[in-house]
Amino acid sequence: SKDKLYSTPEDVYKVHEALSPISEKFTIAAAFGNVHGAYKPGNVKLRPELLVEYQKFAAEKTGKEKPLFLVFHGGSGSEMSEIEAAIDAGAVKMNVDTDTQWAYWEGVLKYYKEKEAYLQGPLGNPEGEDKPNKSYYDPRKWLREAEGSMVTRVANQCKILRNMDKCAK
């Protein structure tokens, strides 16, 4: 049943109760329709408003406002409004592995498309059939492009998650 995709406020609070004696600093990855990977829109209904319900339930029990540190597992491909709602509800961590994997691959793909004529063999390119291509197919070159693409994606995600320059303060 689709209800299995969602944690209940009671279940989330049980986790909070179980972990609180160990430490006050822990995160809870409650299910609110979030899944790992990218899916066609409509297959999964993300419900960040449930995070608000989890917080309210826990707040009533603890007397503290937003006592839960929540994790947004499977955040790749989420709409901006869903991400903002999750952050506003107390999500302190968001997993975006699928997005960062794609960003890495996209850096390689863009490099290949830009340099395709130089990546058909060790010799021969638009500059001449005896011209070498080593500097184009050197893995350090295209891996750097992949890394740069992923760094850009991670930096963008940090802005979205409102955590730029947080360590400096």
Side-chain angles (χ1 to χ4, degrees), residues 52-116:
V52 174
E53 290 181 29
Y54 306 152
Q55 290 285 18
K56 282 182 183 176
F57 187 87
E60 288 172 9
K61 299 285 188 183
T62 64
K64 297 178 186 173
E65 186 181 350
K66 288 189 185 175
L68 306 174
F69 298 108
L70 300 166
V71 178
F72 188 160
H73 271 273
S76 291
S78 297
E79 298 291 327
M80 186 62 69
S81 60
E82 296 167 332
I83 295 168
E84 289 173 351
I87 294 167
D88 290 343
V92 297
K93 178 181 184 279
M94 181 176 169
N95 294 0
V96 289
D97 187 50
T98 300
D99 283 352
T100 54
Q101 287 177 10
W102 180 259
Y104 195 89
W105 158 246
E106 193 172 40
V108 173
L109 179 62
K110 285 179 180 177
Y111 179 80
Y112 178 81
K113 286 181 176 181
E114 279 179 23
K115 308 297 184 188
E116 186 172 4

Side-chain angles (χ1 to χ4, degrees), residues 102-154:
W102 180 259
Y104 195 89
W105 158 246
E106 193 172 40
V108 173
L109 179 62
K110 285 179 180 177
Y111 179 80
Y112 178 81
K113 286 181 176 181
E114 279 179 23
K115 308 297 184 188
E116 186 172 4
Y118 297 86
L119 298 169
Q120 302 307 306
L123 294 174
N125 60 50
E127 297 169 25
E129 53 186 69
D130 62 340
K131 295 290 184 183
N133 296 317
K134 183 172 175 42
S135 66
Y136 297 98
Y137 62 79
D138 181 341
R140 293 169 290 194
K141 191 85 157 202
W142 50 267
L143 285 173
R144 199 171 301 121
E145 296 299 319
E147 291 166 350
S149 180
M150 190 167 83
V151 163
T152 299
R153 178 64 183 90
V154 169

